[in-house]
Amino acid sequence: MSLTSVFSAFFEYSLWLYSIILLLSYLLIAVFAILEIRRYLRSASFTDYSILATSPQAPGMSILAPAYNEGATIVENVRSLLSIHYRNLELIVINDGSKDDCLQKLIDAYHLKKIDFFVKRSITTKDVRGIYKSTNPVFHKLIVVDKVNGGKADALNVGINVSSKEYIVCIDVDCIIEQDALLKMAKPFLDSTGSRVIASGGVVRIANSCEIRNGRLVKVHLSDTFLPRAQTLEYIRAFLLGRMAWSRINALLLISGAFGAFDKEIVIACGGYNHATVGEDMELVVRMRRYMEERNIPYKVTYIPDPLCWTEAPSSYKILGRQRNRWTRGTIETLGMHKKMCLNPNYHTLGILSYPYWLLFELMAPLVEFTGFICMLIAALLGYIDWAMFFSLLGFILSFGILYSIFAILMEVLTYNQYNKSSDILKLVLTAFLEPFIFHPFVVWSAIRGNIDLLRKKNSWGEMSRQGFAAKKSNANA
Amino acid sequence: MKILVAEDEPILIRTIEVRLKKDGYELCLASDGQQALDKIADFSPDMIITDIMMPYASGLEIISYTRQQTGKRTPIIILSSMGQEDVVLEAFKLGADDYITKPFSPNELSVRVRRLLTS
Amino acid sequence: MAVMVGTLLSITIFILIYLVRKRNHERKLDEWRKQLSGTLQTAIFFESGENTTDTIPLTFKTMRGLKHPAFRQLLIDELVQGRKSLTGTAATNLVLLFNQLGLSRFSLQKLNSRLWHIKARGIQELAIMEQRQLVKRIYRLTNARHELVRMEAQSAIVQLYGFEGLRFLDIIDTPISEWQQITLLRLLARMPGIRPEKIAHWLSSTNDSVRIFALKMTAEHHLHQLHDRVIPCLRHPHPSVRIQTVRCLKEVYSDATSGALIHVYSTQTIPCRLAILDLLGNIGAPDNDIFLAQQLADGDDMLKLGAARALIQMGDAGRRSLDEFPLSGEYPWNEIFQQAKTEQTA
């Protein structure tokens, strides 16, 4: 037995082991997700959320929406947010030193006037240039904060400082939020009796090609281009399956920055968002969990599977690449900042399960895939392993991946059924087949780039250009 | 007499429709705020009955639109829920004429409609 | 591998078949809804009198449809929704129809289900359709194993019997969630028969959530006579009880309140202190301004703002205290006072 053949055998079998553990975890995730969604849907089936919309007992919520150069769509976005059904609500739009006419558009559209407002510095931030409120009582829930540019984390922290309510809902200003979103998001905070609910996440759905009128989603359509469609599939897998499963065992590490509700007191106690990382949304949740674990206070992070938030996904490979690159860097930075938790029993499920899983199977998966594939290919070409082995491993992983995606589609159809045309379902199934060959390798490659870029200490958001919801004409009149 | 009713709950809007048709009014129905705004211009109602919380546009927007866009002083009744007293006040500031809280009696609504239209 | 592909294809085919069946089902439901709309309207506007029988006339089609469980359930759902939205004769008639068709036995069947959410649904249906004769069955479920079934049973008893239905508060040892409290308060809002002596009893409950609920009821119904029973809650070990007490006192305060608040102020959490400052401003007792002026020097800026707002609420005497404060020209007091002043004028 030569050294190389021992090495290649070892390599081959560890790859098999890794794959099998990964696949088993997917199965477990599927089971837990089903149980959790079923529990939620059953509970929601006889809940009258409208009581919360008008009850004076409902907890106060501040929506924090940082805006940077969103002048094209800001007025429409704010209008849509103002129509959310909730009594005790304030909408805080934070203009993060936009270089365009974002602020002026808001001032004109909503009759804003600069007011005297003392901003408490619970969290240190860049300077606030002014606070604006509307002279028109119809818009009394709106507060616009103008500040020196400091990035999304800094803008959110300013929002936290300005907020006067118990709970904060952090969103991306160009997301479309359903009108009863806050009712559904508020309920977990009110349901808890033993543990304190410190954060609640919501599902983000892809709005590309959907009909949008006046900032409201009128009809759901599956995207007509491949890239957003692949992301739709990915989001269904990640949100309906992944996050629901983790949330069932209260071990969820991440809440989307596009839509999440937080207990403000805990956020401030933790020091707010950290602007040293590009993954500030993930980092905050991890830090909040850590805070509660270290003080042995029983707590929960919940997740709502209803489609409450719609966002426009990148439709070009360039922008998608930047996004995935940033997500990877954010994950690495976050895990790095909290490495104390790794396999540390003091952090219970978080330390024993969540952190190692995220490290090995979320973060390292692209690396393992990439290097594994290349090495196996080389090994096969050089004859160290036979092609049958190579293709069977590849085939096994591919078909499992596709099966998992189809299962996700099944879950989506059985629960929310947003894409109820047979043609849409077939398109999704086709996307599931194409994904491993087109979309997935690109995502893996972007993740690898993310790793490399981090090593090179790049630290920016890149430029996210958005088509704007209004740009896509609605099919309503077609 | 033409009345526009904007209400997203199917049973309620149907009940109101039947009740007011029995009273002899001509009705136009809207099941959400946007529909209501679209129909105000076309239908030129003599009275508007609108819910406050609806998809796409709220009752307040409808009141605001009616008072500003159309020249006539169309009487407006709003349908509110318990706990919406502050919104009702807001509605009156914007120009609403009367309100009725859900759950309500269709006969009572009929009386209020008649009273407003004859005054 | 073949197994995988086989599974893939079968799931896909299953999805497509499911979609088609679901669409057909939805279409059927819509048809039925239209049909039932007529039935409901007949019921809602039914007028029973001396010379007519007390049965609501129904079409043959409807009677036939009742044999179908899905149709029946749809009718029950529509009746429940209608009953929730309407009052007066309309509401009475819907209950009449429910009874006339004997639908209560189907809701009752749900109580026997092993599935908790079916039980809860059944309880809701019976409560909304005023099936008081079945209260014993529902009362048994206030001790059910599943928390949500228990809560629905509790709400149902209150819905059927009003304030008297809150008897379970005497013995309950599990916490009542905020959501449940909101639901119960909503149900009680339109009901007569509040008994302050019972609420007084609950104000001393060992169950913190019962105490909080009692405080909320005291506030909601402005039970001034319970003021002296509320004050001791200011010294409760749990901060959530204490802050609820302050909120309650906002609705039932008397001359003695200010003194009690000032007495416990220094031992409270910051959110509680803010609530106290706001209340002191509301009460506006003449001596409060001295205490409030002292709080202007507090280390926490939000408390400074709270004190300033309270002083402004007290009128001229309060404003004078602000102007006379030695550091009123310096940061942060200048901004804080400015905000408090402009808020008042807005």
Side-chain angles (χ1 to χ4, degrees):
Chain A
M1 285 265 264
S2 74
L3 195 64
T4 28
S5 63
V6 166
F7 178 76
S8 70
F10 171 78
F11 184 78
E12 202 181 298
Y13 286 113
S14 36
L15 217 57
W16 268 105
L17 188 65
Y18 184 90
S19 310
I20 294 197
I21 299 182
L22 186 63
L23 270 33
L24 274 174
S25 75
Y26 279 3
L27 279 170
L28 273 174
I29 285 179
V31 170
F32 278 117
I34 295 176
L35 292 174
E36 187 62 10
I37 296 187
R38 195 179 64 167
R39 185 197 62 81
Y40 177 84
L41 286 175
R42 283 180 172 175
S43 169
S45 71
F46 59 89
T47 304
D48 185 0
Y49 289 94
S50 66
I51 300 178
L52 215 47
T54 53
S55 169
Q57 313 278 342
M61 302 198 113
S62 298
I63 299 181
L64 306 183
Y68 182 70
N69 289 351
E70 306 271 353
T73 53
I74 190 74
V75 175
E76 202 177 274
N77 295 339
V78 169
R79 179 171 187 267
S80 151
L81 290 170
L82 281 172
S83 71
I84 288 181
H85 292 154
Y86 202 80
R87 176 176 165 151
N88 197 353
L89 172 70
E90 64 183 5
L91 171 60
I92 304 177
V93 177
I94 306 118
N95 178 36
D96 193 27
S98 297
K99 293 205 171 58
D100 67 358
D101 56 353
C102 191
L103 182 62
Q104 192 55 48
K105 281 218 164 102
L106 283 172
I107 293 176
D108 295 335
Y110 295 102
H111 318 137
L112 300 179
K113 191 181 75 174
K114 200 169 188 179
I115 58 165
D116 298 304
F117 195 99
F118 171 73
V119 179
K120 174 165 194 207
R121 302 205 150 232
S122 309
I123 307 170
T124 321
T125 65
K126 292 252 168 76
D127 286 337
V128 170
R129 291 196 285 234
I131 311 260
Y132 297 79
K133 283 188 97 155
S134 176
T135 47
N136 183 342
V138 175
F139 307 124
H140 72 274
K141 290 181 178 166
L142 177 62
I143 300 177
V144 176
V145 181
D146 183 31
K147 70 179 275 287
V148 171
N149 177 267
K152 188 174 177 196
D154 194 65
L156 286 167
N157 285 339
V158 165
I160 295 170
N161 283 344
V162 170
S163 151
S164 62
K165 308 286 183 191
E166 278 175 78
Y167 296 99
I168 54 170
V169 181
C170 300
I171 65 165
D172 283 346
V173 74
D174 58 354
C175 285
I176 293 185
I177 312 283
E178 293 283 332
Q179 277 180 304
D180 15 2
L182 287 199
L183 305 178
K184 305 216 167 123
M185 293 292 270
K187 186 148 187 294
F189 294 104
L190 298 170
D191 277 338
S192 66
T193 45
S195 338
R196 183 169 179 171
V197 176
I198 58 173
S200 184
V203 162
V204 178
R205 290 279 189 142
I206 307 285
N208 298 49
S209 302
C210 292
E211 283 171 46
I212 314 242
R213 220 165 36 132
N214 292 332
R216 282 258 84 90
L217 196 86
V218 175
K219 196 152 164 36
V220 178
H221 292 290
L222 187 62
S223 170
D224 38 19
T225 46
F226 175 75
L227 207 55
R229 225 182 303 149
Q231 290 173 79
T232 304
L233 189 55
E234 190 192 19
Y235 275 44
I236 293 176
R237 276 199 316 259
F239 283 98
L240 273 189
L241 294 180
R243 296 197 190 184
M244 289 312 289
W246 283 106
S247 138
R248 185 171 180 84
I249 55 174
N250 194 19
L252 185 60
L253 275 189
L254 167 64
I255 284 181
S256 173
F259 190 52
F262 303 88
D263 185 327
K264 196 175 80 174
E265 191 186 340
I266 308 287
V267 173
I268 294 180
C270 290
Y273 283 90
N274 186 339
H275 45 74
T277 167
V278 293
E280 72 280 323
D281 44 3
M282 181 178 180
E283 202 276 328
L284 179 65
V285 177
V286 175
R287 191 158 17 101
M288 284 173 77
R289 298 195 76 124
R290 210 173 140 179
Y291 177 87
M292 301 300 278
E293 296 274 358
E294 285 168 358
R295 281 157 191 76
N296 267 317
I297 310 173
Y299 73 100
K300 258 196 290 201
V301 173
T302 59
Y303 222 86
I304 310 287
D306 293 346
L308 299 174
C309 171
W310 299 81
T311 188
E312 200 198 335
S315 50
S316 79
Y317 281 97
K318 188 159 110 180
I319 312 259
L320 178 67
R322 281 208 202 109
Q323 185 197 61
R324 298 312 162 106
N325 185 320
R326 180 168 45 83
W327 286 5
T328 306
R329 279 185 282 131
T331 310
I332 301 174
E333 284 169 343
T334 303
L335 291 178
M337 285 173 183
H338 298 279
K339 56 180 179 280
K340 182 174 173 200
M341 291 200 307
C342 190
L343 293 173
N344 187 336
N346 289 332
Y347 294 98
H348 313 106
T349 331
L350 217 58
I352 308 285
L353 193 61
S354 308
Y355 189 103
Y357 183 91
W358 226 265
L359 181 63
L360 284 173
F361 295 104
E362 290 279 339
L363 194 58
M364 293 195 52
L367 294 164
V368 170
E369 262 186 68
F370 184 70
T371 42
F373 182 75
I374 299 288
C375 290
M376 292 284 280
L377 190 62
I378 295 175
L381 285 169
L382 294 178
Y384 287 119
I385 58 167
D386 57 45
W387 286 103
M389 179 63 87
F390 176 77
F391 281 115
S392 71
L393 179 60
L394 198 62
F396 179 69
I397 294 178
L398 270 177
S399 40
F400 190 89
I402 297 176
L403 185 63
Y404 195 67
S405 294
I406 307 278
F407 181 73
I409 299 174
L410 176 67
M411 284 292 284
E412 154 64 15
V413 167
L414 289 176
T415 55
Y416 297 104
N417 207 10
Q418 297 283 310
Y419 309 104
N420 48 14
K421 291 201 295 231
S422 302
S423 56
D424 280 347
I425 297 298
L426 284 171
K427 278 191 207 155
L428 270 177
V429 172
L430 187 63
T431 310
F433 275 93
L434 291 175
E435 187 193 353
F437 302 104
I438 308 178
F439 182 72
H440 190 71
F442 179 77
V443 166
V444 168
W445 177 239
S446 306
I448 308 249
R449 290 275 299 273
N451 279 280
I452 298 174
D453 285 345
L454 187 66
L455 289 174
R456 288 198 199 147
K457 290 279 191 247
K458 245 196 204 171
N459 190 14
S460 75
W461 266 69
E463 202 188 295
M464 299 283 286
S465 81
R466 289 253 159 77
Q467 274 182 309
F469 287 122
K472 205 106 217 288
K473 278 252 143 66
S474 85
N475 314 349
N477 304 320
Chain B
M1 283 287 185
K2 299 188 286 186
I3 304 183
L4 169 70
V5 183
E7 166 62 60
D8 58 328
E9 216 191 288
I11 296 183
L12 262 185
I13 198 174
R14 186 86 169 94
T15 307
I16 298 174
E17 182 193 6
V18 171
R19 174 74 258 173
L20 295 179
K21 270 200 177 141
K22 273 194 190 167
D23 290 342
Y25 304 108
E26 189 191 326
L27 290 194
C28 175
L29 305 177
S31 54
D32 64 63
Q34 191 56 52
Q35 267 187 36
L37 288 172
D38 294 338
K39 289 188 180 179
I40 289 176
D42 303 327
F43 188 62
S44 280
D46 297 302
M47 169 183 262
I48 297 177
I49 302 175
T50 172
D51 191 4
I52 288 189
M53 252 179 11
M54 276 188 294
Y56 308 131
S58 74
L60 293 182
E61 281 186 64
I62 292 175
I63 302 173
S64 188
Y65 177 80
T66 314
R67 290 285 173 257
Q68 284 166 17
Q69 304 302 100
T70 67
K72 329 191 277 179
R73 186 109 188 19
T74 321
I76 302 178
I77 299 181
I78 46 170
L79 305 170
S80 67
S81 299
M82 224 181 349
Q84 283 185 317
E85 296 78 33
D86 51 342
V87 185
V88 169
L89 262 169
E90 212 35 71
F92 276 106
K93 280 192 204 153
L94 287 171
D97 296 288
D98 197 2
Y99 80 105
I100 188 165
T101 323
K102 295 192 265 189
F104 63 87
S105 155
N107 296 330
E108 192 184 335
L109 180 65
S110 160
V111 166
R112 291 190 192 216
V113 165
R114 203 173 323 155
R115 193 185 62 185
L116 261 184
L117 282 176
T118 50
S119 67
Chain C
M1 177 86 143
V3 172
M4 294 277 215
V5 176
T7 327
L8 267 170
L9 285 172
S10 16
I11 298 185
T12 312
I13 295 177
F14 174 81
I15 295 177
L16 292 170
I17 296 179
Y18 177 86
L19 268 182
V20 171
R21 291 190 59 181
K22 186 151 184 204
R23 237 201 318 268
N24 290 341
H25 185 69
E26 292 290 329
R27 218 176 302 152
K28 203 159 40 166
L29 282 179
D30 276 335
E31 262 176 51
W32 283 344
R33 244 179 231 116
K34 281 200 191 75
Q35 190 188 329
L36 283 173
S37 176
T39 313
L40 245 74
Q41 295 306 320
T42 314
I44 287 172
F45 293 104
F46 176 68
E47 276 163 45
S48 63
E50 297 286 340
N51 297 323
T52 55
T53 53
D54 270 340
T55 36
I56 300 169
L58 296 168
T59 63
F60 179 66
K61 218 173 165 189
T62 308
M63 295 308 290
R64 203 180 47 191
L66 285 172
K67 298 203 179 79
H68 218 291
F71 183 90
R72 252 193 335 251
Q73 186 56 47
L74 189 61
L75 175 57
I76 295 178
D77 291 342
E78 298 281 283
L79 284 172
V80 165
Q81 193 55 38
R83 177 65 189 85
K84 282 205 289 199
S85 316
L86 299 167
T87 57
T89 336
T92 323
N93 285 349
L94 289 174
V95 175
L96 193 63
L97 182 59
F98 187 83
N99 290 334
Q100 180 181 314
L101 295 174
L103 294 173
S104 64
R105 77 169 178 277
F106 299 105
S107 301
L108 196 60
Q109 261 169 24
K110 294 192 174 88
L111 298 190
N112 294 328
S113 165
R114 269 183 305 143
L115 299 171
W116 62 270
H117 67 291
I118 303 284
K119 272 196 171 80
R121 192 84 174 275
I123 297 173
Q124 262 191 3
E125 287 170 8
L126 292 172
I128 294 176
M129 299 314 286
E130 300 174 28
Q131 301 297 302
R132 285 188 183 83
Q133 73 277 16
L134 296 169
V135 71
K136 275 215 185 76
R137 288 295 308 276
I138 300 176
Y139 199 78
R140 247 185 273 160
L141 289 169
T142 52
N143 278 324
R145 247 183 318 142
H146 199 286
E147 184 194 2
L148 292 178
V149 174
R150 281 202 305 272
M151 277 175 22
E152 278 309 314
Q154 290 162 5
S155 302
I157 305 288
V158 172
Q159 186 145 23
L160 292 173
Y161 285 98
F163 187 82
E164 290 306 312
L166 289 174
R167 246 184 304 158
F168 68 89
L169 291 177
D170 290 334
I171 48 173
I172 192 171
D173 50 9
T174 49
I176 310 172
S177 72
E178 294 253 355
W179 170 258
Q180 177 68 343
Q181 291 181 33
I182 290 177
T183 315
L184 290 173
L185 282 169
R186 173 62 70 99
L187 287 171
L188 289 165
R190 294 191 156 192
M191 291 187 186
I194 306 287
R195 287 175 49 203
E197 67 275 16
K198 290 286 325 184
I199 299 181
H201 178 65
W202 294 324
L203 282 172
S204 333
S205 171
T206 46
N207 184 328
D208 288 347
S209 59
V210 170
R211 219 185 256 232
I212 291 178
F213 185 60
L215 286 166
K216 286 180 186 170
M217 275 198 287
T218 310
E220 185 117 333
H221 299 274
H222 300 278
L223 301 172
H224 288 268
Q225 64 268 50
L226 295 179
H227 173 273
D228 292 340
R229 300 294 293 262
V230 171
I231 291 282
C233 295
L234 284 173
R235 272 177 279 276
H236 193 276
H238 216 279
S240 57
V241 175
R242 299 198 301 264
I243 199 171
Q244 193 59 48
T245 312
V246 178
R247 289 192 193 130
C248 171
L249 284 169
K250 194 167 184 179
E251 309 296 329
V252 300
Y253 63 81
S254 73
D255 293 332
T257 313
S258 300
L261 290 172
I262 293 175
H263 191 70
V264 297
Y265 182 82
S266 51
T267 52
Q268 302 307 315
T269 60
I270 294 191
C272 195
R273 287 194 210 178
L274 278 170
I276 292 178
L277 291 172
D278 176 60
L279 181 50
L280 287 173
N282 257 352
I283 296 176
D287 299 325
N288 286 354
D289 62 333
I290 303 170
F291 174 78
L292 289 170
Q294 289 168 343
Q295 305 318 311
L296 290 173
D298 193 295
D300 186 298
D301 290 339
M302 290 316 280
L303 290 177
K304 291 185 183 78
L305 179 56
R309 280 179 173 142
L311 281 167
I312 297 271
Q313 269 191 303
M314 294 182 61
D316 290 330
R319 280 177 177 266
R320 243 196 325 271
S321 300
L322 279 187
D323 297 330
E324 286 168 7
F325 186 74
L327 299 166
S328 60
E330 290 178 33
Y331 179 83
W333 290 276
N334 51 354
E335 283 188 27
I336 292 176
F337 292 1
Q338 191 58 32
Q339 180 182 345
K341 285 181 188 159
T342 32
E343 272 174 3
Q344 189 67 346
T345 51

